[in-house]
Amino acid sequence: MLDRDHCLALDAGDPLRAFRDEFVLPEDVVYLVGNSLGALPRRAAERVRRTVEDEWGAQLVGGWNHAGWFDQPLTAGDRLAPLIGAGPGQVVVGNTTSIAVYQAVAAALRLRPERRVIVSDMRNFPTDHYMVQGLAGLLGGYEIRDFAEGRFDDAAVVLVAEVDYRTGARHDVPAVTARVHEAGALMVWDVCHSVGAMEVDVSMADFAVGCTYKYLNAGPGAPAFLYVNPRHHATAENPLSGWYGHAEPFAFETGFRPADGIRRFAVSTPHVLSFAALEAALDVWERVPMDQVRVKSMALTSLFVDLVANALELASPADAAARGSQVSFRHPDGYPVMRALIDRGVHGDFRAPDILRFGFAPLYIRYTDVYDAAVTLLKVLDDELWRDERYARRLAVT
């Protein structure tokens, strides 16, 4: 078994080690839930304070013009775009991932009106599939097919997550996108569990959606984003024709006239306070070398697998290159095991029916954190500390 001194040496040589100081992390906690909610950037509180006091408080409604609030969906989109391999004017930020999924799939269906099949990954995070079900039910006449069947020949659109939220298994984005396009279908990628943890490139895709509150650290309920490939900017229609996507919002016309470019996929007024926290997070990400993030991600997850795998059934791919920045294990009593682990300062989460899930955010997780988490997990298992009856009671959020 690797010892802690070896991990200390790895931390000393980590080229990303200085970024840990950019985040607020409680003492005596190993936080392995960055794939669910990222840690607080130190600059976020001050940025939100400035928005509340200096902008809202001092400028009042003038903040829409003088503080740049009105253009935030586009300016934040341009700042975020490099993290997903996109360019300026290709990403709009706002609303939620669920809404972005609805927009992307509906727009794709309108671009392929002769086809009546939607391919959706049944193993994907449920909201994606739920939105597809609701859209298909509203429109009528559509078949929903599981991505696992691998049949795209008559599909209008294919919706898949780059990284599986339960197991961390990673799809080959270029290869899958090429297969979908060869079949004449349009490709929508969900990059919620990959953006900020690895190099992401959706430039081949037709649409992509993602959130900013996981590895990007923009805070609970932070706005989502939608990428639309430039080749569709002139023809794709936003099914949610809100006033923010109008060509001249302040003309207050009675009929909707879509804006040019990505602006037509804006929907409604941006949540300015949430954007403030996102901007603070992007201040960090603009300085991060993403190739180093991926190298460290694979090293952290591999270390954890090496330390724990003999005690639990590995649910993630064994090959680090084939998974995202998370490791999942199976245990029939996974929920109480996780509760017992959290009580001892190691925070992961549980996904039904039996998944213990650990997310490794490379900017602030150290190799020594991984070692300490593994030692604590092995103790919880070896001493059966999870059998305490209080751990069997389910909390609202698992």
Side-chain angles (χ1 to χ4, degrees):
M1 184 175 182
L2 295 169
D3 60 28
R4 200 171 192 276
D5 288 341
H6 177 72
C7 294
L8 285 168
L10 292 174
D11 286 331
D14 177 13
L16 299 176
R17 63 187 180 279
F19 283 104
R20 180 177 169 87
D21 293 334
E22 300 276 358
F23 299 92
V24 177
L25 294 161
E27 294 183 9
D28 302 321
V29 167
V30 177
Y31 188 70
L32 302 182
V33 206
N35 56 337
S36 186
L37 176 65
L40 171 68
R42 290 192 181 278
R43 303 181 186 199
E46 168 57 23
R47 184 64 185 85
V48 173
R49 183 212 61 78
R50 188 175 52 168
T51 299
V52 172
E53 297 181 7
D54 301 346
E55 296 175 4
W56 180 15
Q59 299 178 30
L60 297 171
V61 72
W64 290 107
N65 286 316
H66 304 306
W69 296 346
F70 187 77
D71 292 324
Q72 281 179 323
L74 303 184
T75 56
D78 283 350
R79 294 185 71 189
L80 190 148
L83 296 174
I84 61 170
Q90 298 176 12
V91 179
V92 64
V93 178
N95 306 301
T96 66
T97 307
S98 299
I99 292 173
V101 167
Y102 191 96
Q103 290 178 276
V105 174
L109 292 178
R110 288 180 175 180
L111 291 171
R112 292 291 185 272
E114 74 285 359
R115 295 190 172 202
R116 312 296 290 181
V117 175
I118 304 170
V119 175
S120 179
D121 189 351
M122 306 298 188
R123 298 164 299 181
N124 201 358
F125 191 79
T127 195
D128 288 22
H129 195 56
Y130 296 164
M131 297 305 287
V132 167
Q133 290 174 342
L135 181 60
L138 176 67
L139 298 176
Y142 279 92
E143 172 193 346
I144 301 175
R145 181 182 301 154
D146 189 1
F147 175 79
E149 294 183 26
R151 293 195 297 119
F152 312 138
D153 55 293
D154 55 350
V157 58
V158 178
L159 169 64
V160 189
E162 181 176 13
V163 172
D164 185 283
Y165 83 103
R166 285 195 180 97
T167 67
R170 182 188 185 190
H171 285 294
D172 184 329
V173 169
V176 173
T177 303
R179 284 182 57 209
V180 169
H181 284 167
E182 286 169 6
L186 297 177
M187 185 75 233
V188 181
W189 282 105
D190 175 342
V191 297
C192 286
H193 288 85
S194 50
V195 62
M198 63 183 69
E199 293 170 292
V200 173
D201 187 353
V202 299
S203 59
M204 288 178 58
D206 300 284
F207 302 88
V209 302
C211 65
T212 62
Y213 58 81
K214 293 182 173 62
Y215 293 112
L216 292 184
N217 310 100
F225 60 87
L226 170 65
Y227 161 81
V228 181
N229 193 295
R231 64 176 171 266
H232 299 307
H233 282 188
T235 54
E237 298 178 38
N238 182 0
L240 301 177
S241 48
W243 83 291
Y244 234 70
H246 192 279
E248 295 183 77
F250 284 92
F252 299 115
E253 299 174 2
T254 56
F256 182 75
R257 182 163 52 94
D260 293 332
I262 193 65
R263 178 63 182 262
R264 67 175 53 195
F265 277 87
V267 177
S268 54
T269 306
H271 300 167
V272 173
L273 300 186
S274 292
F275 269 88
L278 171 59
E279 288 169 352
L282 291 174
D283 286 344
V284 177
W285 283 103
E286 286 177 338
R287 296 183 282 113
V288 173
M290 290 307 300
D291 56 340
Q292 294 180 14
V293 168
R294 181 54 175 162
V295 170
K296 185 178 177 184
S297 164
M298 291 192 292
L300 292 172
T301 57
S302 295
L303 175 62
F304 196 61
V305 169
D306 289 344
L307 293 170
V308 174
N310 289 337
L312 287 167
E313 177 189 351
L314 182 65
S316 300
D319 179 3
R323 60 177 180 254
S325 199
Q326 74 179 59
V327 175
S328 297
F329 295 99
R330 287 192 169 88
H331 190 287
D333 294 290
Y335 183 75
V337 170
M338 185 57 72
R339 287 284 308 279
L341 189 62
I342 292 171
D343 261 9
R344 286 154 183 84
V346 177
H347 291 227
D349 60 15
F350 171 78
R351 291 293 177 261
D354 60 355
I355 294 289
L356 294 160
R357 196 176 70 146
F358 303 90
F360 298 81
L363 294 195
Y364 53 81
I365 296 300
R366 300 168 298 193
Y367 293 93
T368 46
D369 295 326
V370 176
Y371 181 87
D372 294 342
V375 169
T376 306
L377 176 56
L378 293 173
K379 181 173 178 58
V380 166
L381 295 171
D382 292 343
D383 296 349
E384 298 190 341
L385 301 175
W386 56 270
R387 291 190 180 275
D388 188 316
E389 62 181 19
R390 60 185 164 149
Y391 297 139
R393 293 192 293 273
R394 295 288 178 102
L395 301 177
V397 177
T398 63

